[in-house]
Amino acid sequence: AQSVTQLGSHVSVSEGALVLLRCNYSSSVPPYLFWYVQYPNQGLQLLLKYTTGATLVKGINGFEAEFKKSETSFHLTKPSAHMSDAAEYFCAVSVREAGTALIFGKGTTLSVSS
Amino acid sequence: EPEVTQTPSHQVTQMGQEVILRCVPISNHLYFYWYRQILGQKVEFLVSFYNNEISEKSEIFDDQFSVERPDGSNFTLKIRSTKLEDSAMYFCASSGGAGGASSYEQYFGPGTRLTVT
């Protein structure tokens, strides 16, 4: 079985500060890992994904995440927060097979203050 | 840019009524999914669909739920007899089938908010 734990249901940063959203996963098989963002009253938008290869992956809007197998982590970072980054962020895991379920964490709400 | 669309955006129904939520996946995708998000909770997988049959379903997806691809573009979720606890945001998603990374990237629609009274 797979699971995802997102530490911190709410993270607040100042504009220009580092953003760090934490995600730890559990998987009995090598996983695929994803970060999605949800803006108010919108659907889920794929930010970035790790499948194979380079463990540091870059996504849209300046976000990146690093897959650390030894720590079973896939934390999301952005060097400098922007007001428009305020949203809810979900980490998700799946097995390496097309058409299988994404298992989501509970989400982290990011607030950015000026 | 291709996107997943869902209708209606908001559906209000009375307990015991049947509802059909509609989705138009991205046109060249082969895998289709339904998820739900109860207010304040995490997004939960309901079902996946491939080659005109269910490929995986969760414990939530019991006999009151069904899915169908009635034509070449629509993908529907039917709830036969709605309960209060079915109130949630329902998301449709689709992913490619040509192999490689695109098979695993699920693209989500904006959701249908279902309110059961």
Side-chain angles (χ1 to χ4, degrees), chain A residues 3-98:
Chain A
S3 66
V4 172
T5 301
Q6 290 184 241
L7 296 174
S9 59
H10 197 164
V11 170
S12 297
V13 300
S14 299
E15 194 170 22
L18 171 72
V19 175
L20 170 61
L21 305 182
R22 300 178 186 275
C23 172
N24 287 89
Y25 70 90
S26 172
S27 179
S28 56
V29 297
Y32 282 171
L33 294 158
F34 307 82
W35 275 99
Y36 282 84
V37 60
Q38 184 179 30
Y39 298 102
N41 300 314
Q42 294 187 28
L44 299 164
Q45 181 182 8
L46 180 64
L47 265 183
L48 50 78
K49 65 181 186 293
Y50 168 76
T51 53
T52 57
T55 56
L56 180 63
V57 293
K58 297 184 185 298
I60 61 173
N61 303 336
F63 284 94
E64 61 183 39
E66 186 171 11
F67 169 61
K68 292 188 176 181
K69 183 179 177 181
S70 61
E71 298 178 8
T72 61
S73 68
F74 190 57
H75 301 331
L76 182 71
T77 60
K78 182 174 180 178
S80 177
H82 192 272
M83 296 292 286
S84 61
D85 294 326
E88 187 148 21
Y89 292 80
F90 293 93
C91 182
V93 63
S94 76
V95 298
R96 294 184 178 185
E97 186 175 330

Side-chain angles (χ1 to χ4, degrees), chain A residues 32 34 36 38 42-44 46 49 90 96-102 104-106, chain B residues 31 33 35 37 42-43 45 48 55-56 91 95 101 103-106 108-110:
Chain A
Y32 282 171
F34 307 82
Y36 282 84
Q38 184 179 30
Q42 294 187 28
L44 299 164
L46 180 64
K49 65 181 186 293
F90 293 93
R96 294 184 178 185
E97 186 175 330
T100 58
L102 286 173
F104 284 87
K106 291 186 176 182
Chain B
Y31 296 91
Y33 314 81
Y35 292 82
Q37 184 181 29
K42 64 180 177 181
V43 178
F45 169 76
S48 61
S55 53
E56 185 181 3
F91 292 106
S95 64
S103 298
Y104 310 99
E105 292 180 17
Q106 295 186 26
F108 284 75

